[in-house]
Amino acid sequence: MKNRLIIAIQKNGRLSDQSSNLLKKSGIKFRYKSRSLLAKSSNLPVDVLFVRDDDIPSLIANGDADIGIVGKNILFEQTKHKRNIKNILDLGFSKCRLSFAVPNNKAFKSLNNKRIATSYPNIVKAFLRKNKINSTVIKIHGSVELTPYIGISDCICDLVSTGATLKENNLIEFKTVLESEAILISNKNLKSNKSKILDLIFTRMKGVINARESKYVMLNTDVDTVKDICNLLPGADSPTIIPLEKSNKVAIHALCQEPVFWETMEQLKNKGASSILVMPVEKVLS
Ligand code: PRP
Ligand code: ZN
């Protein structure tokens, strides 16, 4: 496996589907067989390793994997691996936050002298130190949200994504410690043959991320409205203007790098545009 780049991704959980999809959209072909740990790519010198997300930083720091996709929350918690790991790209999915929350009938003003249950003791302790708060941190691996109700803690610090878990447990979020999302990380000392494979994948991943919000817009309009219409196209650099068979009509084609909402389309129509098509963009290589 010396000349193959090993990519670690989460086997089951909040990151797994989108991590696999990102690799596939970046042109890495592999087949995942349930229960298998490793999938060899059939078209690139790449192996995909399926593991628990908590194990990804140590695998990369030790050189057992070369790069990986993990939540910022996991990387920031595992401070001991920081020296050997580089954060190379924010991936924009699996967005969530690490927040303090308290039972809604027990809300308090100060975090001082509290028992805080969390699966992220390092992040929480660093936050308390920085803010000169004196409290006890209790490390809990799962079901953190139950601890205030069994008398183990006064409040919790846990991941919040939709907020449904907090709501189900009558907990109120009152302070965010960290905003998290999926990131691409790499071992700091990759050999040059592996760096080359990473460069290729990195550029492709950026292409996939850039394309995510992009849309290709095509519409028809009168020649004298071209300026107004172009001003309305979100994040379009330099639209293409194509003459149409009818003498005073043109087609405008543009790559819009920002979301195109219904409201934008309605404004375009009001300015005189017709046959407005908004199409997905799969990849962008600039
Ligand atoms: C986190 C957290 C909550 C849930 C919050 O767990 O511990 O249980 O997600 O999400 P919500 O706001 O959308 O309800 P996760 O699924 O990451 O599992 P893990 O902590 O056991 O890895
Ligand atoms: Zn986990």
Side-chain angles (χ1 to χ4, degrees), residues 173-235:
E173 189 180 355
F174 65 91
K175 174 89 197 156
T176 296
V177 181
L178 175 78
E179 298 280 352
S180 181
E181 67 183 282
I183 52 177
L184 182 71
I185 58 175
S186 135
N187 180 290
K188 267 192 185 161
N189 306 303
L190 286 190
K191 297 253 155 44
S192 73
N193 56 340
K194 292 197 174 190
S195 289
K196 272 195 200 129
I197 313 170
L198 173 58
D199 287 346
L200 175 87
I201 291 170
F202 177 78
T203 311
R204 289 184 179 185
M205 280 190 182
K206 277 210 295 199
V208 174
I209 293 166
N210 289 342
R212 212 175 274 150
E213 299 266 281
S214 298
K215 294 280 179 276
Y216 197 74
V217 176
M218 307 201 297
L219 54 84
N220 295 344
T221 194
D222 289 340
V223 177
D224 48 349
T225 62
V226 166
K227 252 226 143 69
D228 285 345
I229 298 278
C230 288
N231 285 338
L232 282 173
L233 292 168

Short mmCIF file of all heavy atoms in Angstrom, two decimals, residues 173-235:
data_model
loop_
_atom_site.label_atom_id
_atom_site.label_comp_id
_atom_site.label_asym_id
_atom_site.label_seq_id
_atom_site.Cartn_x
_atom_site.Cartn_y
_atom_site.Cartn_z
N GLU A 173 -30.56 25.61 24.90
CA GLU A 173 -29.19 25.94 24.53
C GLU A 173 -28.92 27.36 25.00
O GLU A 173 -29.73 28.25 24.77
CB GLU A 173 -29.15 25.86 23.00
CG GLU A 173 -27.80 25.96 22.39
CD GLU A 173 -27.91 25.86 20.86
OE1 GLU A 173 -29.02 25.61 20.33
OE2 GLU A 173 -26.88 26.05 20.21
N PHE A 174 -27.74 27.58 25.65
CA PHE A 174 -27.53 28.97 26.07
C PHE A 174 -26.16 29.53 25.69
O PHE A 174 -25.95 30.73 25.85
CB PHE A 174 -27.82 29.15 27.57
CG PHE A 174 -26.90 28.41 28.50
CD1 PHE A 174 -25.75 29.02 28.98
CD2 PHE A 174 -27.20 27.12 28.89
CE1 PHE A 174 -24.90 28.34 29.84
CE2 PHE A 174 -26.35 26.42 29.76
CZ PHE A 174 -25.21 27.04 30.23
N LYS A 175 -25.25 28.72 25.18
CA LYS A 175 -23.96 29.30 24.78
C LYS A 175 -23.28 28.34 23.81
O LYS A 175 -23.17 27.15 24.09
CB LYS A 175 -23.09 29.49 26.04
CG LYS A 175 -21.69 29.95 25.78
CD LYS A 175 -21.61 31.46 25.74
CE LYS A 175 -20.31 31.90 25.08
NZ LYS A 175 -20.40 33.24 24.51
N THR A 176 -22.81 28.85 22.68
CA THR A 176 -22.10 28.00 21.72
C THR A 176 -20.59 28.12 21.93
O THR A 176 -20.06 29.22 22.07
CB THR A 176 -22.47 28.41 20.28
OG1 THR A 176 -23.86 28.16 20.11
CG2 THR A 176 -21.69 27.60 19.26
N VAL A 177 -19.93 26.99 21.96
CA VAL A 177 -18.48 26.96 22.19
C VAL A 177 -17.73 26.81 20.87
O VAL A 177 -16.65 27.35 20.68
CB VAL A 177 -18.12 25.76 23.11
CG1 VAL A 177 -16.64 25.71 23.37
CG2 VAL A 177 -18.89 25.85 24.40
N LEU A 178 -18.31 26.06 19.93
CA LEU A 178 -17.61 25.79 18.69
C LEU A 178 -18.60 25.56 17.56
O LEU A 178 -19.58 24.84 17.73
CB LEU A 178 -16.76 24.51 18.88
CG LEU A 178 -16.04 23.97 17.65
CD1 LEU A 178 -14.79 24.79 17.37
CD2 LEU A 178 -15.64 22.51 17.84
N GLU A 179 -18.35 26.19 16.40
CA GLU A 179 -19.13 25.89 15.19
C GLU A 179 -18.35 24.82 14.44
O GLU A 179 -17.15 24.96 14.22
CB GLU A 179 -19.25 27.13 14.30
CG GLU A 179 -19.98 28.31 14.93
CD GLU A 179 -21.49 28.17 14.90
OE1 GLU A 179 -22.00 27.23 14.24
OE2 GLU A 179 -22.16 29.00 15.56
N SER A 180 -19.03 23.75 14.05
CA SER A 180 -18.31 22.64 13.43
C SER A 180 -18.87 22.29 12.06
O SER A 180 -20.02 22.60 11.75
CB SER A 180 -18.40 21.42 14.35
OG SER A 180 -17.70 20.34 13.80
N GLU A 181 -18.04 21.68 11.24
CA GLU A 181 -18.46 21.13 9.96
C GLU A 181 -17.44 20.07 9.57
O GLU A 181 -16.42 19.92 10.25
CB GLU A 181 -18.51 22.23 8.88
CG GLU A 181 -17.15 22.80 8.52
CD GLU A 181 -17.25 23.93 7.49
OE1 GLU A 181 -17.42 23.64 6.31
OE2 GLU A 181 -17.16 25.11 7.90
N ALA A 182 -17.72 19.34 8.51
CA ALA A 182 -16.76 18.33 8.07
C ALA A 182 -15.54 19.02 7.46
O ALA A 182 -15.68 20.02 6.76
CB ALA A 182 -17.41 17.42 7.04
N ILE A 183 -14.35 18.47 7.75
CA ILE A 183 -13.13 19.03 7.16
C ILE A 183 -12.26 17.90 6.61
O ILE A 183 -12.38 16.75 7.04
CB ILE A 183 -12.30 19.84 8.20
CG1 ILE A 183 -12.06 19.02 9.47
CG2 ILE A 183 -13.00 21.13 8.56
CD1 ILE A 183 -11.18 19.73 10.49
N LEU A 184 -11.43 18.28 5.66
CA LEU A 184 -10.47 17.31 5.12
C LEU A 184 -9.15 17.54 5.86
O LEU A 184 -8.65 18.66 5.90
CB LEU A 184 -10.28 17.55 3.62
CG LEU A 184 -9.33 16.59 2.91
CD1 LEU A 184 -9.94 15.20 2.80
CD2 LEU A 184 -9.00 17.10 1.50
N ILE A 185 -8.62 16.47 6.46
CA ILE A 185 -7.35 16.61 7.17
C ILE A 185 -6.31 15.67 6.58
O ILE A 185 -6.67 14.68 5.92
CB ILE A 185 -7.50 16.34 8.69
CG1 ILE A 185 -8.07 14.94 8.96
CG2 ILE A 185 -8.38 17.38 9.35
CD1 ILE A 185 -8.13 14.57 10.44
N SER A 186 -5.05 16.00 6.81
CA SER A 186 -4.00 15.17 6.24
C SER A 186 -2.85 15.05 7.23
O SER A 186 -2.65 15.91 8.09
CB SER A 186 -3.54 15.83 4.92
OG SER A 186 -2.15 15.85 4.82
N ASN A 187 -2.09 13.97 7.10
CA ASN A 187 -0.85 13.84 7.86
C ASN A 187 0.12 14.92 7.36
O ASN A 187 0.17 15.20 6.17
CB ASN A 187 -0.27 12.44 7.64
CG ASN A 187 1.02 12.22 8.41
OD1 ASN A 187 2.05 12.80 8.08
ND2 ASN A 187 0.95 11.40 9.43
N LYS A 188 0.87 15.53 8.29
CA LYS A 188 1.74 16.65 7.91
C LYS A 188 2.94 16.22 7.08
O LYS A 188 3.54 17.02 6.38
CB LYS A 188 2.25 17.35 9.17
CG LYS A 188 1.38 18.51 9.56
CD LYS A 188 2.04 19.36 10.62
CE LYS A 188 1.08 20.44 11.09
NZ LYS A 188 1.46 21.00 12.37
N ASN A 189 3.32 14.95 7.16
CA ASN A 189 4.56 14.52 6.49
C ASN A 189 4.32 13.49 5.40
O ASN A 189 4.94 12.43 5.40
CB ASN A 189 5.54 13.95 7.52
CG ASN A 189 5.78 14.93 8.64
OD1 ASN A 189 6.21 16.06 8.39
ND2 ASN A 189 5.48 14.53 9.86
N LEU A 190 3.43 13.81 4.48
CA LEU A 190 3.18 12.86 3.40
C LEU A 190 4.38 12.77 2.47
O LEU A 190 5.01 13.78 2.16
CB LEU A 190 1.97 13.30 2.57
CG LEU A 190 0.58 13.15 3.17
CD1 LEU A 190 -0.47 13.42 2.11
CD2 LEU A 190 0.38 11.76 3.76
N LYS A 191 4.68 11.56 2.00
CA LYS A 191 5.75 11.38 1.01
C LYS A 191 5.29 11.99 -0.32
O LYS A 191 4.08 12.10 -0.57
CB LYS A 191 6.01 9.88 0.80
CG LYS A 191 6.51 9.19 2.05
CD LYS A 191 7.98 8.85 1.93
CE LYS A 191 8.72 8.73 3.24
NZ LYS A 191 8.05 7.99 4.29
N SER A 192 6.27 12.36 -1.17
CA SER A 192 5.90 13.15 -2.35
C SER A 192 4.96 12.40 -3.30
O SER A 192 4.10 13.00 -3.91
CB SER A 192 7.14 13.63 -3.08
OG SER A 192 7.72 12.55 -3.74
N ASN A 193 5.12 11.07 -3.39
CA ASN A 193 4.21 10.35 -4.30
C ASN A 193 2.77 10.43 -3.80
O ASN A 193 1.83 10.55 -4.58
CB ASN A 193 4.65 8.89 -4.49
CG ASN A 193 4.77 8.14 -3.17
OD1 ASN A 193 4.88 8.75 -2.11
ND2 ASN A 193 4.73 6.82 -3.22
N LYS A 194 2.61 10.42 -2.48
CA LYS A 194 1.25 10.52 -1.92
C LYS A 194 0.73 11.95 -2.02
O LYS A 194 -0.46 12.17 -2.26
CB LYS A 194 1.24 10.04 -0.48
CG LYS A 194 1.50 8.54 -0.37
CD LYS A 194 1.09 7.99 0.96
CE LYS A 194 1.24 6.47 0.96
NZ LYS A 194 0.64 5.84 2.13
N SER A 195 1.62 12.93 -1.83
CA SER A 195 1.20 14.34 -1.97
C SER A 195 0.64 14.61 -3.35
O SER A 195 -0.29 15.39 -3.51
CB SER A 195 2.38 15.27 -1.76
OG SER A 195 2.74 15.26 -0.43
N LYS A 196 1.26 13.95 -4.35
CA LYS A 196 0.78 14.17 -5.73
C LYS A 196 -0.64 13.69 -5.90
O LYS A 196 -1.47 14.35 -6.52
CB LYS A 196 1.70 13.44 -6.72
CG LYS A 196 2.87 14.28 -7.14
CD LYS A 196 3.55 13.69 -8.37
CE LYS A 196 4.95 14.25 -8.43
NZ LYS A 196 5.97 13.22 -8.59
N ILE A 197 -0.94 12.52 -5.33
CA ILE A 197 -2.31 12.00 -5.43
C ILE A 197 -3.25 12.93 -4.66
O ILE A 197 -4.35 13.24 -5.11
CB ILE A 197 -2.42 10.56 -4.85
CG1 ILE A 197 -1.30 9.67 -5.38
CG2 ILE A 197 -3.78 9.96 -5.18
CD1 ILE A 197 -1.21 8.32 -4.68
N LEU A 198 -2.78 13.40 -3.50
CA LEU A 198 -3.62 14.31 -2.71
C LEU A 198 -3.92 15.60 -3.49
O LEU A 198 -5.06 16.07 -3.48
CB LEU A 198 -2.95 14.63 -1.36
CG LEU A 198 -3.65 15.70 -0.52
CD1 LEU A 198 -5.10 15.31 -0.22
CD2 LEU A 198 -2.92 15.95 0.79
N ASP A 199 -2.90 16.16 -4.16
CA ASP A 199 -3.11 17.39 -4.93
C ASP A 199 -4.25 17.23 -5.93
O ASP A 199 -5.10 18.11 -6.07
CB ASP A 199 -1.84 17.79 -5.70
CG ASP A 199 -0.79 18.34 -4.76
OD1 ASP A 199 -1.15 18.66 -3.60
OD2 ASP A 199 0.39 18.43 -5.16
N LEU A 200 -4.23 16.09 -6.60
CA LEU A 200 -5.27 15.83 -7.61
C LEU A 200 -6.65 15.78 -6.94
O LEU A 200 -7.60 16.46 -7.37
CB LEU A 200 -4.97 14.49 -8.29
CG LEU A 200 -6.02 14.01 -9.28
CD1 LEU A 200 -5.73 14.59 -10.65
CD2 LEU A 200 -6.06 12.49 -9.35
N ILE A 201 -6.75 15.02 -5.85
CA ILE A 201 -8.04 14.86 -5.17
C ILE A 201 -8.51 16.18 -4.56
O ILE A 201 -9.68 16.54 -4.62
CB ILE A 201 -7.91 13.77 -4.09
CG1 ILE A 201 -7.73 12.43 -4.78
CG2 ILE A 201 -9.11 13.74 -3.16
CD1 ILE A 201 -7.36 11.32 -3.85
N PHE A 202 -7.55 16.93 -3.99
CA PHE A 202 -7.85 18.21 -3.35
C PHE A 202 -8.48 19.18 -4.36
O PHE A 202 -9.51 19.80 -4.09
CB PHE A 202 -6.54 18.77 -2.79
CG PHE A 202 -6.68 20.11 -2.14
CD1 PHE A 202 -7.19 20.23 -0.86
CD2 PHE A 202 -6.27 21.26 -2.80
CE1 PHE A 202 -7.32 21.47 -0.26
CE2 PHE A 202 -6.39 22.51 -2.21
CZ PHE A 202 -6.90 22.60 -0.93
N THR A 203 -7.86 19.29 -5.55
CA THR A 203 -8.39 20.20 -6.57
C THR A 203 -9.79 19.76 -7.00
O THR A 203 -10.69 20.58 -7.18
CB THR A 203 -7.46 20.20 -7.81
OG1 THR A 203 -6.14 20.40 -7.35
CG2 THR A 203 -7.84 21.29 -8.79
N ARG A 204 -9.96 18.46 -7.15
CA ARG A 204 -11.28 17.96 -7.55
C ARG A 204 -12.32 18.24 -6.47
O ARG A 204 -13.45 18.62 -6.76
CB ARG A 204 -11.22 16.46 -7.83
CG ARG A 204 -10.44 16.15 -9.10
CD ARG A 204 -10.50 14.68 -9.34
NE ARG A 204 -9.80 14.28 -10.55
CZ ARG A 204 -9.81 13.04 -11.03
NH1 ARG A 204 -10.45 12.09 -10.37
NH2 ARG A 204 -9.15 12.76 -12.12
N MET A 205 -11.95 18.04 -5.20
CA MET A 205 -12.91 18.29 -4.12
C MET A 205 -13.32 19.74 -4.09
O MET A 205 -14.48 20.07 -3.89
CB MET A 205 -12.30 17.90 -2.77
CG MET A 205 -12.35 16.42 -2.50
SD MET A 205 -11.88 16.11 -0.80
CE MET A 205 -11.97 14.33 -0.79
N LYS A 206 -12.33 20.63 -4.31
CA LYS A 206 -12.67 22.07 -4.34
C LYS A 206 -13.66 22.33 -5.48
O LYS A 206 -14.58 23.12 -5.33
CB LYS A 206 -11.41 22.91 -4.52
CG LYS A 206 -10.69 23.14 -3.21
CD LYS A 206 -9.94 24.44 -3.17
CE LYS A 206 -8.82 24.42 -4.18
NZ LYS A 206 -7.80 25.42 -3.93
N GLY A 207 -13.46 21.64 -6.60
CA GLY A 207 -14.36 21.77 -7.74
C GLY A 207 -15.78 21.34 -7.40
O GLY A 207 -16.76 21.97 -7.81
N VAL A 208 -15.88 20.27 -6.62
CA VAL A 208 -17.20 19.78 -6.22
C VAL A 208 -17.86 20.77 -5.26
O VAL A 208 -19.03 21.10 -5.38
CB VAL A 208 -17.09 18.38 -5.56
CG1 VAL A 208 -18.44 17.93 -5.02
CG2 VAL A 208 -16.53 17.36 -6.53
N ILE A 209 -17.05 21.28 -4.32
CA ILE A 209 -17.60 22.23 -3.32
C ILE A 209 -18.04 23.52 -4.01
O ILE A 209 -19.11 24.04 -3.74
CB ILE A 209 -16.55 22.52 -2.23
CG1 ILE A 209 -16.31 21.24 -1.42
CG2 ILE A 209 -17.01 23.63 -1.31
CD1 ILE A 209 -15.08 21.31 -0.56
N ASN A 210 -17.20 24.03 -4.93
CA ASN A 210 -17.57 25.26 -5.64
C ASN A 210 -18.84 25.08 -6.44
O ASN A 210 -19.61 26.03 -6.62
CB ASN A 210 -16.45 25.69 -6.60
CG ASN A 210 -15.25 26.19 -5.84
OD1 ASN A 210 -15.37 26.53 -4.66
ND2 ASN A 210 -14.10 26.21 -6.48
N ALA A 211 -19.05 23.88 -6.95
CA ALA A 211 -20.21 23.65 -7.81
C ALA A 211 -21.49 23.55 -7.00
O ALA A 211 -22.58 23.75 -7.52
CB ALA A 211 -20.03 22.37 -8.61
N ARG A 212 -21.35 23.26 -5.69
CA ARG A 212 -22.53 22.94 -4.89
C ARG A 212 -23.59 24.05 -4.94
O ARG A 212 -24.77 23.79 -5.08
CB ARG A 212 -22.09 22.70 -3.44
CG ARG A 212 -22.95 21.69 -2.74
CD ARG A 212 -22.40 21.40 -1.37
NE ARG A 212 -21.38 20.37 -1.38
CZ ARG A 212 -20.38 20.32 -0.50
NH1 ARG A 212 -20.23 21.25 0.40
NH2 ARG A 212 -19.50 19.33 -0.56
N GLU A 213 -23.16 25.29 -4.84
CA GLU A 213 -24.11 26.41 -4.84
C GLU A 213 -24.36 26.94 -6.25
O GLU A 213 -25.26 27.73 -6.45
CB GLU A 213 -23.57 27.56 -3.99
CG GLU A 213 -23.33 27.21 -2.55
CD GLU A 213 -24.54 27.55 -1.68
OE1 GLU A 213 -24.69 28.73 -1.34
OE2 GLU A 213 -25.33 26.65 -1.37
N SER A 214 -23.52 26.51 -7.17
CA SER A 214 -23.58 27.10 -8.52
C SER A 214 -24.75 26.56 -9.33
O SER A 214 -25.13 25.41 -9.20
CB SER A 214 -22.29 26.81 -9.28
OG SER A 214 -21.21 27.39 -8.61
N LYS A 215 -25.26 27.44 -10.18
CA LYS A 215 -26.33 27.03 -11.10
C LYS A 215 -26.02 27.63 -12.47
O LYS A 215 -25.44 28.71 -12.56
CB LYS A 215 -27.69 27.58 -10.63
CG LYS A 215 -28.18 26.99 -9.33
CD LYS A 215 -28.80 25.62 -9.54
CE LYS A 215 -29.30 24.99 -8.28
NZ LYS A 215 -28.30 24.27 -7.51
N TYR A 216 -26.41 26.91 -13.51
CA TYR A 216 -26.27 27.46 -14.85
C TYR A 216 -27.64 28.00 -15.26
O TYR A 216 -28.63 27.27 -15.26
CB TYR A 216 -25.79 26.38 -15.81
CG TYR A 216 -25.25 26.97 -17.09
CD1 TYR A 216 -24.00 27.59 -17.10
CD2 TYR A 216 -25.98 26.91 -18.27
CE1 TYR A 216 -23.50 28.16 -18.26
CE2 TYR A 216 -25.48 27.48 -19.44
CZ TYR A 216 -24.24 28.10 -19.43
OH TYR A 216 -23.74 28.66 -20.57
N VAL A 217 -27.70 29.30 -15.56
CA VAL A 217 -28.99 29.93 -15.87
C VAL A 217 -29.04 30.29 -17.35
O VAL A 217 -28.08 30.84 -17.89
CB VAL A 217 -29.20 31.20 -15.00
CG1 VAL A 217 -30.49 31.91 -15.39
CG2 VAL A 217 -29.22 30.83 -13.52
N MET A 218 -30.15 29.96 -17.99
CA MET A 218 -30.36 30.34 -19.40
C MET A 218 -31.73 31.03 -19.48
O MET A 218 -32.69 30.57 -18.87
CB MET A 218 -30.39 29.10 -20.29
CG MET A 218 -29.16 28.22 -20.12
SD MET A 218 -28.85 27.13 -21.52
CE MET A 218 -30.26 26.11 -21.53
N LEU A 219 -31.77 32.13 -20.21
CA LEU A 219 -33.06 32.82 -20.39
C LEU A 219 -33.03 33.63 -21.68
O LEU A 219 -31.97 33.85 -22.26
CB LEU A 219 -33.32 33.73 -19.18
CG LEU A 219 -32.25 34.75 -18.80
CD1 LEU A 219 -32.37 36.03 -19.62
CD2 LEU A 219 -32.37 35.09 -17.32
N ASN A 220 -34.20 34.04 -22.11
CA ASN A 220 -34.31 34.92 -23.28
C ASN A 220 -34.82 36.27 -22.84
O ASN A 220 -35.59 36.36 -21.87
CB ASN A 220 -35.30 34.33 -24.29
CG ASN A 220 -34.80 33.02 -24.87
OD1 ASN A 220 -33.61 32.69 -24.76
ND2 ASN A 220 -35.71 32.27 -25.47
N THR A 221 -34.39 37.31 -23.56
CA THR A 221 -34.89 38.65 -23.21
C THR A 221 -34.69 39.63 -24.38
O THR A 221 -34.03 39.29 -25.37
CB THR A 221 -34.20 39.16 -21.93
OG1 THR A 221 -34.91 40.29 -21.45
CG2 THR A 221 -32.75 39.54 -22.18
N ASP A 222 -35.26 40.84 -24.23
CA ASP A 222 -35.06 41.87 -25.25
C ASP A 222 -33.66 42.47 -25.10
O ASP A 222 -33.16 42.58 -23.97
CB ASP A 222 -36.08 43.02 -25.07
CG ASP A 222 -37.47 42.56 -25.45
OD1 ASP A 222 -37.58 41.55 -26.19
OD2 ASP A 222 -38.44 43.20 -24.99
N VAL A 223 -33.10 42.89 -26.23
CA VAL A 223 -31.74 43.45 -26.22
C VAL A 223 -31.60 44.58 -25.20
O VAL A 223 -30.63 44.64 -24.45
CB VAL A 223 -31.37 43.98 -27.63
CG1 VAL A 223 -29.98 44.62 -27.61
CG2 VAL A 223 -31.42 42.87 -28.65
N ASP A 224 -32.61 45.48 -25.15
CA ASP A 224 -32.47 46.66 -24.29
C ASP A 224 -32.60 46.35 -22.79
O ASP A 224 -32.40 47.23 -21.96
CB ASP A 224 -33.44 47.77 -24.72
CG ASP A 224 -34.85 47.24 -24.91
OD1 ASP A 224 -34.99 46.00 -24.93
OD2 ASP A 224 -35.78 48.04 -25.02
N THR A 225 -32.91 45.09 -22.40
CA THR A 225 -32.99 44.78 -20.97
C THR A 225 -31.75 44.02 -20.48
O THR A 225 -31.67 43.67 -19.29
CB THR A 225 -34.24 43.92 -20.65
OG1 THR A 225 -34.11 42.69 -21.36
CG2 THR A 225 -35.53 44.60 -21.04
N VAL A 226 -30.80 43.76 -21.39
CA VAL A 226 -29.66 42.90 -21.05
C VAL A 226 -28.94 43.37 -19.78
O VAL A 226 -28.65 42.57 -18.88
CB VAL A 226 -28.67 42.81 -22.24
CG1 VAL A 226 -27.33 42.23 -21.82
CG2 VAL A 226 -29.27 41.97 -23.35
N LYS A 227 -28.68 44.65 -19.66
CA LYS A 227 -27.94 45.18 -18.50
C LYS A 227 -28.67 44.89 -17.20
O LYS A 227 -28.10 44.37 -16.23
CB LYS A 227 -27.74 46.69 -18.67
CG LYS A 227 -26.31 47.02 -19.00
CD LYS A 227 -25.76 48.18 -18.19
CE LYS A 227 -24.31 47.93 -17.83
NZ LYS A 227 -23.46 47.99 -19.02
N ASP A 228 -29.97 45.23 -17.19
CA ASP A 228 -30.78 45.01 -15.99
C ASP A 228 -30.80 43.54 -15.59
O ASP A 228 -30.67 43.19 -14.41
CB ASP A 228 -32.24 45.44 -16.24
CG ASP A 228 -32.37 46.96 -16.23
OD1 ASP A 228 -31.41 47.61 -15.75
OD2 ASP A 228 -33.40 47.47 -16.70
N ILE A 229 -30.98 42.70 -16.61
CA ILE A 229 -31.07 41.25 -16.33
C ILE A 229 -29.74 40.75 -15.77
O ILE A 229 -29.70 40.03 -14.77
CB ILE A 229 -31.41 40.49 -17.65
CG1 ILE A 229 -32.77 40.92 -18.18
CG2 ILE A 229 -31.31 38.98 -17.44
CD1 ILE A 229 -33.98 40.27 -17.54
N CYS A 230 -28.63 41.15 -16.39
CA CYS A 230 -27.31 40.68 -15.93
C CYS A 230 -27.04 41.11 -14.49
O CYS A 230 -26.45 40.37 -13.72
CB CYS A 230 -26.20 41.17 -16.85
SG CYS A 230 -26.22 40.31 -18.43
N ASN A 231 -27.50 42.32 -14.14
CA ASN A 231 -27.31 42.79 -12.76
C ASN A 231 -28.04 41.94 -11.74
O ASN A 231 -27.67 41.91 -10.57
CB ASN A 231 -27.78 44.24 -12.63
CG ASN A 231 -26.79 45.20 -13.25
OD1 ASN A 231 -25.61 44.86 -13.40
ND2 ASN A 231 -27.26 46.37 -13.66
N LEU A 232 -29.08 41.27 -12.18
CA LEU A 232 -29.86 40.45 -11.25
C LEU A 232 -29.30 39.05 -11.07
O LEU A 232 -29.67 38.34 -10.14
CB LEU A 232 -31.31 40.33 -11.77
CG LEU A 232 -32.24 41.51 -11.55
CD1 LEU A 232 -33.56 41.26 -12.29
CD2 LEU A 232 -32.51 41.72 -10.06
N LEU A 233 -28.40 38.63 -11.96
CA LEU A 233 -27.91 37.25 -11.90
C LEU A 233 -26.88 37.11 -10.77
O LEU A 233 -25.82 37.76 -10.81
CB LEU A 233 -27.29 36.84 -13.25
CG LEU A 233 -28.32 36.72 -14.39
CD1 LEU A 233 -27.62 36.61 -15.73
CD2 LEU A 233 -29.26 35.54 -14.15
N PRO A 234 -27.15 36.30 -9.74
CA PRO A 234 -26.29 36.28 -8.56
C PRO A 234 -24.94 35.59 -8.79
O PRO A 234 -24.88 34.43 -9.17
CB PRO A 234 -27.12 35.47 -7.53
CG PRO A 234 -28.14 34.74 -8.32
CD PRO A 234 -28.30 35.42 -9.63
N GLY A 235 -23.88 36.37 -8.57
CA GLY A 235 -22.53 35.83 -8.67
C GLY A 235 -22.15 35.36 -10.07
O GLY A 235 -21.37 34.44 -10.22
#
